[in-house]
Amino acid sequence: MEGTASPTPYDPTSVARWAPEPDKRPGRTAFQRDRARILHSSALRRLAGKTQVVTPGAGSPAWDATPRTRLTHSLECAQVGRELGAALGCDPDLVEAACLSHDLGHPPFGHNGEQALNDFAHDCGGFEGNAQSLRLLTRIEPKRFEPEGSVGLNLTRATLDAATKYPWPRGAHPADPASPKFGVYDDDRPVFDWVREQAPGTRTCFEAQVMDWADDVAYSVHDVEDGLHAGHIDPGCLHAEPERQEVFRVAVGRYVPADTDPAELAAALDRLQDQEWWPHGYDGTAAAQARLKDATSQLIGRFCLAAEAATRARHGSGRLTRYGAELVVPRGTRLECAVLKAVADRYVMQRAEQELLRADQRVVITEIAEALTARAPYDLDPQFRALFDQAPDDRARKRVIVDQIASLTDASARSLHARLTTRS
């Protein structure tokens, strides 16, 4: 395994790679190389074709809404994570690389597509976007080949660890065995075990915790911003008690623990609404857009500065890395973030037309899976056709079909679906 000197407080095992390889350009750190590999990957580019929350072109005719995609969300998450990580002493390139990687494994149609693929893959290990990200980084994305086959981007141990949000296999959640969240498929265990060689149990590393909070901050704030742009959210409704209670109902059990007192959520929303920059209305004008953009900036700063101050209060002023610290996010700050998530969920994701769209998307994924299963290796891309031919058994062949579908964008999934289902 490769281990090179690093000017950061990361030891040689942290910058080791699964497959040793020389540095093409002396002077770069190992984490700068990792960040560059992710930025140049086709998997990152494909995120431009995957919807985040609001479908492009689905806004009000009164103004042009250009909502975020998975790619723009990942770029914004990376910016937030890089700055917060640097402020706490992490290597900024390492944290940015983890943030850029965190959604790479998500399939077309987001969590809806994830559920449909999980249903299809129930007998070959299931499907989970985070486990798929690890698989993509260490196996599917073509960059480095060894005699035994592809090793993906061949990133450092620390970067792969920082990109691992759920460091356990299916059904092994440390607090909730029934949780659908996991970070590795059984046939990717060798590289996962190598990544987690020095990890204490199922604890996530400090950089992964920064990535996770940056993700929460970015999508909670920006999903509300996109919902306002698209005309789906009226901030005035959040002053009406029935609407507030509905938002809190959405939050409890989904974004906060089920035993959370709704009064705490009400206090969190009140704190946000009491800020002078809070958007109390939105009409799409340039002035309103500027006020909204300032509000998103204020919210991001509020959430990140609270975490930075609380973490420093506990761990001091030194450089915080790997397993030397825990990110501390005050409870009140987490509740404020959760309220924003619930607002976007209530007014954007729970619209009636969205449920109709989600039902159609599940049909698309299911019928693609059925058609590819019947015809494979035909209709698979050349990369996956070769893997299908090399697969040792039906379980492995089914996993290749899952990998093929997960690699599709929203548009390419619909295009492939149309081609497969209209063929006589």
Side-chain angles (χ1 to χ4, degrees):
M1 308 306 171
E2 178 191 14
T4 57
S6 171
T8 66
Y10 294 87
D11 63 27
T13 62
S14 297
V15 296
R17 300 181 190 277
W18 177 258
E21 58 176 284
D23 193 347
K24 302 182 186 70
R25 181 184 171 191
R28 290 193 306 173
T29 69
F31 303 138
Q32 286 172 338
R33 295 177 71 191
D34 287 350
R35 174 181 173 274
R37 290 180 180 198
I38 296 162
L39 277 172
H40 288 281
S41 69
S42 59
L44 186 68
R45 292 196 300 276
R46 285 196 298 271
L47 294 183
K50 301 188 182 189
T51 299
Q52 175 69 5
V53 171
V54 176
T55 303
S60 163
W63 59 83
D64 178 25
T66 308
R68 288 165 172 86
T69 63
R70 285 275 175 181
L71 175 59
T72 55
H73 161 69
S74 296
L75 295 173
E76 288 168 331
C77 173
Q79 188 275 329
V80 172
R82 181 184 181 92
E83 290 199 4
L84 177 58
L88 292 168
C90 304
D91 185 290
D93 292 303
L94 166 56
V95 177
E96 183 175 357
C99 291
L100 289 171
S101 301
H102 84 281
D103 266 355
L104 291 181
H106 275 263
F109 312 131
H111 294 295
N112 195 39
E114 186 175 26
Q115 182 57 58
L117 269 183
N118 185 52
D119 292 342
F120 171 70
H122 71 93
D123 57 352
C124 70
F127 182 87
E128 211 284 339
N130 295 277
Q132 192 69 18
S133 292
L134 177 68
R135 184 175 180 84
L136 191 149
L137 291 170
T138 60
R139 185 192 295 246
I140 297 173
E141 179 70 20
K143 168 66 178 177
R144 182 79 181 183
F145 275 78
E146 294 296 307
E148 65 272 19
S150 172
V151 293
L153 294 180
N154 198 31
L155 302 178
T156 62
R157 175 185 273 114
T159 294
L160 290 170
D161 200 14
T164 302
K165 189 181 292 190
Y166 306 115
W168 52 79
R170 187 187 191 191
H173 190 291
D176 179 12
S179 171
K181 297 297 185 182
F182 62 98
V184 59
Y185 302 123
D186 288 344
D187 53 349
D188 295 322
R189 281 300 296 267
V191 70
F192 173 82
D193 291 342
W194 173 80
V195 169
R196 300 286 297 172
E197 211 166 74
Q198 298 177 313
T202 57
R203 178 181 167 191
T204 54
C205 67
F206 186 72
E207 293 84 357
Q209 295 173 42
V210 172
M211 174 272 289
D212 195 16
W213 181 238
D215 182 28
D216 276 358
V217 170
Y219 92 73
S220 66
V221 173
H222 292 139
D223 287 0
V224 170
E225 181 184 355
D226 280 354
L228 285 163
H229 271 302
H232 300 317
I233 298 174
D234 175 6
C237 289
L238 300 178
H239 293 283
E241 198 55 39
E243 290 295 326
R244 288 165 62 93
Q245 292 304 317
E246 185 63 20
V247 168
F248 304 152
R249 184 193 65 78
V250 171
V252 172
R254 180 172 176 83
Y255 300 115
V256 294
D259 60 353
T260 302
D261 186 347
E264 283 193 278
L265 294 168
L269 179 56
D270 288 343
R271 287 194 300 273
L272 295 179
Q273 290 179 313
D274 287 344
Q275 304 302 312
E276 59 88 19
W277 39 259
W278 178 259
H280 292 285
Y282 185 76
D283 61 8
T285 63
Q289 291 183 52
R291 287 194 299 271
L292 180 56
K293 185 55 66 177
D294 179 62
T296 63
S297 178
Q298 295 280 359
L299 283 165
I300 291 170
R302 180 183 180 90
F303 293 162
C304 288
L305 288 172
E308 181 185 346
T311 303
R312 285 301 188 192
R314 177 178 297 181
H315 296 293
S317 59
R319 300 193 70 171
L320 308 178
T321 64
R322 300 287 280 147
Y323 295 97
E326 296 279 343
L327 186 72
V328 182
V329 181
R331 177 177 176 83
T333 302
R334 288 197 182 275
L335 291 175
E336 290 174 6
C337 184
V339 165
L340 293 183
K341 294 178 188 178
V343 167
D345 193 327
R346 168 74 177 86
Y347 295 107
V348 181
M349 290 177 273
Q350 292 190 19
R351 290 177 295 125
E353 60 267 33
Q354 282 296 102
E355 182 48 46
L356 292 174
L357 176 62
R358 284 193 289 269
D360 176 64
Q361 291 170 344
R362 289 191 290 271
V363 169
V364 168
I365 295 293
T366 301
E367 291 187 348
I368 289 175
E370 291 171 350
L372 289 179
T373 300
R375 291 184 52 81
Y378 305 106
D379 295 308
L380 294 175
D381 290 346
Q383 173 186 0
F384 297 107
R385 191 181 307 148
L387 292 172
F388 187 92
D389 290 337
Q390 297 162 11
D393 53 37
D394 287 345
R395 180 185 174 96
R397 283 187 280 271
K398 190 167 191 178
R399 177 58 65 187
V400 173
I401 293 173
V402 171
D403 290 340
Q404 165 76 88
I405 298 171
S407 74
L408 300 171
T409 65
D410 293 10
S412 65
R414 290 199 175 277
S415 176
L416 178 59
H417 176 259
R419 179 161 58 86
L420 292 175
T421 57
T422 58
R423 178 180 296 148
S424 58

